[in-house]
Amino acid sequence: MQNKWVKELSATFFAGLFMLISATMIGLAGVHFIEGFNADIDFVSAVIKSINDLFIALATYELAIGIYKEYRFSEEDDLFDAIRRTVTRFVSVVIIALVLEGLIMIIKYSQLDLAGNLFYPVAVVVAASLLLMALGLFLRWSRASGA
C-alpha cells in the first residue's frame, strides 16, 4: 500500500513539474511573439522563436500527460507495457517537433538567402527519420510474443 502512495505522489509531482515547464514555455512563446512587434527585432525571427518555444511546450506537456496517466492511474502491474506506451507517445511528439523544426529552418534559411546552411535542417530531418525508424524497431522488438 505504501508503494502505491509513493508512486502516485511522485507521478503527480513530476507531472505537475512538467506542466509548469510547459506553461512557462507557452508564456515565453507569447513574450517572443510580442517582441516581434518591436522595431529593433525581425518579426519572422520572433515568430520562429515563439514556434520553437511552443514545440518544447508541446513535448513537455505530452510528457506530463503520459507520466500522469501511466503512473498515477495505472492499476496494471505490467510496467513494461506502460513504459512502451509512454516512450512511444513521447518519441512521437519529439519526431514531429524535429520535422517541423527542420521545415521552419529551411523556410528561414531560404528567406535569408543562406542556402549554404541548408545542410543543418536537412540533418535535423534525417535525424528525425532515423529516430522514427528506431521507434519502429523498438515497437516491433518490444511487442508481446502473442501479438
Side-chain angles (χ1 to χ4, degrees):
M1 186 66 163
Q2 184 180 5
N3 188 23
K4 183 179 179 182
W5 179 80
V6 171
K7 179 180 168 184
E8 287 182 8
L9 181 66
S10 61
T12 303
F13 172 75
F14 283 110
L17 181 67
F18 284 117
M19 281 290 194
L20 181 65
I21 292 169
S22 180
T24 303
M25 292 306 296
I26 291 170
L28 190 60
V31 168
H32 283 151
F33 183 76
I34 291 171
E35 284 178 351
F37 293 106
N38 189 352
D40 299 338
I41 298 174
D42 182 34
F43 183 71
V44 174
S45 296
V47 169
I48 290 172
K49 277 185 185 178
S50 64
I51 290 172
N52 288 339
D53 293 339
L54 290 173
F55 288 154
I56 296 169
L58 176 63
T60 54
Y61 172 79
E62 185 62 37
L63 183 61
I65 293 298
I67 289 172
Y68 194 73
K69 287 170 76 176
E70 295 297 334
Y71 296 109
R72 187 161 194 283
F73 293 121
S74 176
E75 294 297 326
E76 62 188 49
D77 291 328
D78 193 3
L79 182 62
F80 185 74
D81 283 342
I83 290 173
R84 186 174 188 258
R85 281 193 306 270
T86 303
V87 166
T88 303
R89 185 181 298 125
F90 180 70
V91 171
S92 298
V93 171
V94 170
I95 291 169
I96 291 168
L98 282 173
V99 169
L100 291 174
E101 176 71 21
L103 294 175
I104 286 173
M105 287 172 67
I106 289 171
I107 293 168
K108 180 180 177 181
Y109 289 161
S110 297
Q111 288 178 344
L112 298 175
D113 292 329
L114 297 172
N117 293 337
L118 282 177
F119 59 90
Y120 292 119
V122 169
V124 170
V125 173
V126 168
S129 301
L130 292 173
L131 187 58
L132 181 61
M133 288 188 279
L135 178 63
L137 289 174
F138 169 75
L139 291 175
R140 178 171 174 84
W141 291 337
S142 66
R143 68 180 171 195
S145 61

